[in-house]
Amino acid sequence: MTTPDEPNLERLNGADLYFEVSGPEDTPASEPPLVFLHGGPGYNSYSFQELFGERLAGRRVVYLDQRGSGRSGPLADTEQGADMLDLDTLVADLEALRDHLGAERIVPLGHGFGALVALEYARRHPERTARVVVVNPWVHFPELALTLLREASALRGVPLDDPAQAVRARTPEGEHPAVGEARIEAAFGLLNARDLLNTLQFRDRASRMRLEFADAEGQLAGGGEVQEALVNQGLWEFEYPPFLQELRRPLFVIAGVHDRTSYPEQVEWLADLGGADVTVLDAGHYPWLDDEDAFAEALEEALTR
């Protein structure tokens, strides 16, 4: 079993994966560890651990930097190669990590894009999943792209011009129309990605500055390689909601009402099709920045209910 509070870089499923295990050494083997799955895609687990880890000191928690992200090895050094990154691979990485840790079951805690990994892991490995907790999830990417385009249009003061109909009209029969990609290109053409996401995800400037300070302290900027690989695999066309009906584990959602990238549209899919128990906080995309106590209470309830 991996020693708690010790950084690890292990070759798992053909990739060098960085993770840290935190919590009491005397945690019973029967108690499933909480595995934090960051978003981005291509972000890292550092800021969550630094900003909220003390509130989880009584639990066994695994902070994972997913394949190609943070302190994990670059995609180019994986057996699968820099261009072969998809949800299947990320789920297989998580299963390889669980096996390496010797845990019978885990509790995936997925944030943003990381919610996809948590949900799909639970769907494929219900016997290895105690429950699933997701925070401000992204599950329907064409719809997310439309949200970003709508918001960018409003911020620029121009009418919404959804390219979906034109894309479908010019797509040859039998081919999938790249609606999500067209929408996101239009959105980021109106407003650059960083400014748009900052506007939609943070409750206030103070929260954004706290996260930026933690990121600077961790010196883990990057993630473009991971994002590019996933986009090349059709990320913006991905629609996960149909799979939500196949989940057989308890599902809990913690949402921030000020995160317009996730709430309410993305969250509603999990409530309607996944039967999720939803808690809405007065927070943004990173609710532990806005109201640490409320997020800690919501997470504890999701882990013990």
Side-chain angles (χ1 to χ4, degrees):
M1 188 72 172
T2 299
T3 303
D5 301 315
E6 180 178 316
N8 298 272
L9 185 65
E10 296 284 346
R11 190 74 170 177
L12 301 173
N13 191 37
D16 293 324
L17 299 181
Y18 178 94
F19 61 94
E20 293 188 28
V21 181
S22 179
E25 292 191 50
D26 58 352
T27 302
S30 60
E31 183 175 322
L34 185 66
V35 182
F36 179 69
L37 301 166
H38 61 77
Y43 190 46
N44 59 76
S45 62
Y46 175 83
S47 66
F48 180 74
Q49 184 177 8
E50 286 296 305
L51 296 170
F52 191 74
E54 288 188 4
R55 299 297 294 262
L56 296 171
R59 291 185 174 276
R60 180 63 61 90
V61 183
V62 183
Y63 299 94
L64 169 67
D65 284 359
Q66 295 167 56
R67 174 180 293 240
S69 305
R71 293 150 291 187
S72 289
L75 291 180
D77 291 346
T78 64
E79 292 178 8
Q80 293 84 353
D83 298 326
M84 293 302 295
L85 182 62
D86 53 23
L87 184 58
D88 293 347
T89 304
L90 294 172
V91 168
D93 288 349
L94 182 54
E95 172 61 5
L97 175 61
R98 180 208 60 78
D99 182 65
H100 174 77
L101 295 173
E104 293 183 8
R105 297 189 300 166
I106 62 173
V107 178
L109 170 60
H111 176 230
F113 170 82
L116 274 182
V117 184
L119 292 164
E120 183 62 3
Y121 182 87
R123 188 180 75 89
R124 295 192 183 197
H125 303 284
E127 75 287 355
R128 299 297 189 187
T129 307
R131 61 183 61 205
V132 190
V133 185
V134 297
V135 182
N136 289 318
W138 292 349
V139 293
H140 194 302
F141 284 79
E143 183 179 81
L144 172 59
L146 179 58
T147 296
L148 295 177
L149 177 56
R150 182 183 298 113
E151 295 285 352
S153 300
L155 289 167
R156 282 298 189 190
V158 299
L160 172 64
D161 183 11
D162 184 3
Q165 185 173 350
V167 170
R168 294 188 181 104
R170 66 172 178 259
T171 300
E173 187 176 351
E175 294 185 14
H176 182 83
V179 168
E181 182 178 352
R183 285 171 171 171
I184 205 65
E185 287 180 356
F188 292 160
L190 290 170
L191 199 63
N192 74 71
R194 179 183 175 85
D195 289 345
L196 179 56
L197 291 173
N198 280 344
T199 300
L200 301 185
Q201 291 184 331
F202 290 95
R203 189 180 70 177
D204 50 47
R205 185 173 182 273
S207 294
R208 178 173 61 81
M209 294 302 295
R210 281 190 68 201
L211 184 66
E212 290 183 359
F213 181 81
D215 288 341
E217 185 179 56
Q219 298 182 345
L220 295 173
E225 179 187 33
V226 170
Q227 294 174 15
E228 182 179 354
L230 288 167
V231 168
N232 289 341
Q233 293 292 324
L235 175 65
W236 286 107
E237 312 311 320
F238 190 57
E239 302 178 21
Y240 192 78
F243 299 104
L244 291 169
Q245 300 176 81
E246 300 177 17
L247 288 175
R248 297 295 179 265
R249 306 308 302 148
L251 173 58
F252 299 87
V253 177
I254 302 173
V257 70
H258 300 286
D259 179 13
R260 303 204 297 277
T261 68
S262 178
Y263 186 82
E265 288 89 353
Q266 301 287 317
V267 171
E268 287 173 348
W269 287 112
L270 283 83
D272 294 343
L273 298 181
D277 189 302
V278 179
T279 300
V280 181
L281 304 179
D282 181 21
H285 190 64
Y286 305 85
W288 51 89
L289 295 175
D290 298 313
D291 194 332
E292 183 178 307
D293 290 339
F295 178 71
E297 181 180 347
L299 182 56
E300 180 66 18
E301 188 171 354
L303 294 174
T304 57
R305 188 182 310 168

